[in-house]
Amino acid sequence: MEQTLSIIKPDAVAKGVIGKIMDRFESNGLRIAAAKKMQLSEADAQAFYAVHAERPFFKDLVEFMISGPVVAMVLEGEGAMAKNRDLMGATNPQEAEPGTIRADFADSIDANAVHGSDSVENAKNEIKFFFSDREIV
């Protein structure tokens, strides 16, 4: 069974839509195999988004991700990574299809409600960043 990582970002947590977002995953055939709410440190956010370290938006991304709690989840199911990306919608919520998470809950390209792994290989690394094997059930 394929697994992928999803993060409900600080903007969506602050809006109180954690349950609504989790319901989208479960209602569309994804099982939540692990979940935890946490506050990322600056070092955590820098390490997680290190692939973007040279990009001009890196500092703002890190600041945003430490601005409030997040909910990290392992989603599991057939084609979990692609299904999650479809449910999230385009990175820019103005371009996201109606009914996607970002179209419904995101405010901007920066405060875009959720993160999802962009490949099965990255999903494995991202899951290990947040969860130990015994936390995934």
Side-chain angles (χ1 to χ4, degrees):
M1 197 60 62
E2 188 174 283
Q3 294 181 332
T4 193
L5 183 84
S6 176
I7 301 172
I8 301 176
K9 293 182 177 181
D11 59 316
V13 172
K15 288 180 184 175
V17 295
I18 295 168
K20 290 178 181 180
I21 292 172
M22 289 175 133
D23 181 61
R24 296 277 178 105
F25 298 136
E26 291 184 318
S27 295
N28 285 279
L30 293 172
R31 188 177 80 77
I32 299 171
K36 62 171 110 173
K37 187 176 186 180
M38 68 187 71
Q39 177 70 50
L40 296 177
S41 69
E42 185 172 359
D44 290 335
Q46 288 174 341
F48 185 74
Y49 287 107
V51 67
H52 299 302
E54 300 303 317
R55 311 278 299 267
F57 60 82
F58 179 71
K59 184 176 184 260
D60 290 338
L61 174 60
V62 168
E63 287 178 12
F64 170 65
M65 291 301 291
I66 66 173
S67 68
V70 300
V71 177
M73 293 174 283
V74 177
L75 304 177
E76 188 174 81
E78 290 290 327
M81 192 276 305
K83 186 175 282 189
N84 180 39
R85 298 210 46 94
D86 286 345
L87 291 170
M88 288 190 312
T91 302
N92 183 344
Q94 312 313 332
E95 298 171 2
E97 292 291 322
T100 61
I101 293 168
R102 288 180 173 147
D104 292 345
F105 303 116
D107 293 325
S108 69
I109 196 166
D110 298 316
N112 64 7
V114 286
H115 164 90
S117 302
D118 62 1
S119 71
V120 173
E121 182 179 325
N122 282 345
K124 290 176 185 175
N125 294 328
E126 290 180 351
I127 289 167
K128 286 179 183 171
F129 186 89
F130 286 102
F131 296 95
S132 67
D133 288 344
R134 68 183 178 84
E135 293 176 299
I136 304 170
V137 293

